[in-house]
Amino acid sequence: MAVKKQVERDLAKILFVNEGANQKEIAARLDVSEKTIGKWVKDGEWEKLKVSMLVTKDNQLTALYRQLENLNTEISTRPIVRDIPTKLLSPIKVRDADGGERLEMPVYNAEDFPIKIGNFPTSKEADMISKLTTAIKRLETETNIGETVEVSKQLIQFVRSIDAPFSNQLLKYCDLFIQDKMK
């Protein structure tokens, strides 16, 4: 494959996987046929790669933080509802001095009644906040075997560019380390 085509393919992959562009948009941006983009997507299994990018640790953390923020915003901006008896919310008949009747709303101070719904979490919301923060803490502190493998690969590639013989020795130690983590 020519260098230009490889560069186009790499850019198309980035646009498709990381930026969520569809095949038609990519074809237009790169001046390549949609059929070519479709072939690249199929041959490179970019759909699977796109899905796997959605479940990365960073993406999951971002989603959890967003959920927590949305929940906290909903709670803090919720209007306060007081537990006012229904009889105070309905008009009552009042007679004036001439004997005439009219409807009038009872006078009361809303602050005298307890808060029914306020800017504090319900027990269900508090439970959700607790679960979200626990999930966030677990994701931030745990390292899975996939991340260990990925970091090991990057380290070995880096060392190989500097000292190839040592990278072979490092590879053996990384393999042993990964096997130990899998136990």
Side-chain angles (χ1 to χ4, degrees):
M1 184 182 294
V3 173
K4 182 179 183 239
K5 276 293 181 196
Q6 184 60 47
V7 170
E8 286 177 342
R9 187 178 184 142
D10 291 344
L11 180 55
K13 183 178 180 181
I14 290 168
L15 293 171
F16 185 82
V17 174
N18 296 349
E19 296 184 18
N22 64 41
Q23 293 179 29
K24 187 174 185 174
E25 293 169 335
I26 296 168
R29 285 175 72 177
L30 300 180
D31 196 28
V32 176
S33 72
E34 285 184 54
K35 185 176 179 182
T36 300
I37 301 295
K39 183 176 179 351
W40 291 348
V41 168
K42 183 179 177 193
D43 291 349
E45 297 182 334
W46 293 356
E47 288 288 350
K48 288 181 184 176
L49 189 57
K50 189 177 192 177
V51 170
S52 72
M53 293 294 284
L54 295 175
V55 293
T56 64
K57 183 177 175 178
D58 287 339
N59 288 343
Q60 291 298 310
L61 274 170
T62 300
L64 288 170
Y65 275 119
R66 193 175 303 117
Q67 289 174 13
L68 186 60
E69 180 183 4
N70 290 342
L71 182 57
N72 284 329
T73 300
E74 181 184 323
I75 292 167
S76 66
T77 59
R78 173 170 41 217
I80 295 174
V81 177
R82 299 217 172 245
D83 196 10
I84 301 169
T86 53
K87 67 180 181 178
L88 294 178
L89 300 174
S90 303
I92 55 172
K93 286 184 185 179
V94 177
R95 270 185 204 197
D96 56 20
D98 300 334
E101 291 182 350
R102 68 182 190 296
L103 291 177
E104 193 175 279
M105 291 298 292
V107 178
Y108 63 90
N109 182 0
E111 300 293 316
D112 292 340
F113 296 95
I115 295 175
K116 186 175 183 180
I117 300 171
N119 301 105
F120 46 87
T122 64
S123 60
K124 186 176 179 181
E125 291 166 335
D127 184 49
M128 182 60 69
I129 290 170
S130 175
K131 288 178 180 176
L132 286 170
T133 54
T134 299
I136 288 169
K137 183 177 179 184
R138 187 171 43 243
L139 275 174
E140 287 180 333
T141 57
E142 289 180 359
T143 305
N144 65 29
I145 194 69
E147 290 171 326
T148 304
V149 169
E150 188 58 35
V151 169
S152 297
K153 282 173 38 181
Q154 291 175 12
L155 176 63
I156 291 165
Q157 288 173 351
F158 174 74
V159 171
R160 185 169 288 136
S161 69
I162 299 169
D163 186 352
F166 180 69
S167 70
N168 292 332
Q169 188 177 5
L170 181 61
L171 176 64
K172 293 174 189 171
Y173 287 116
C174 286
D175 285 345
L176 289 171
F177 179 69
I178 291 167
Q179 289 171 5
D180 185 62
K181 287 287 185 189
M182 290 173 57
K183 291 180 185 175

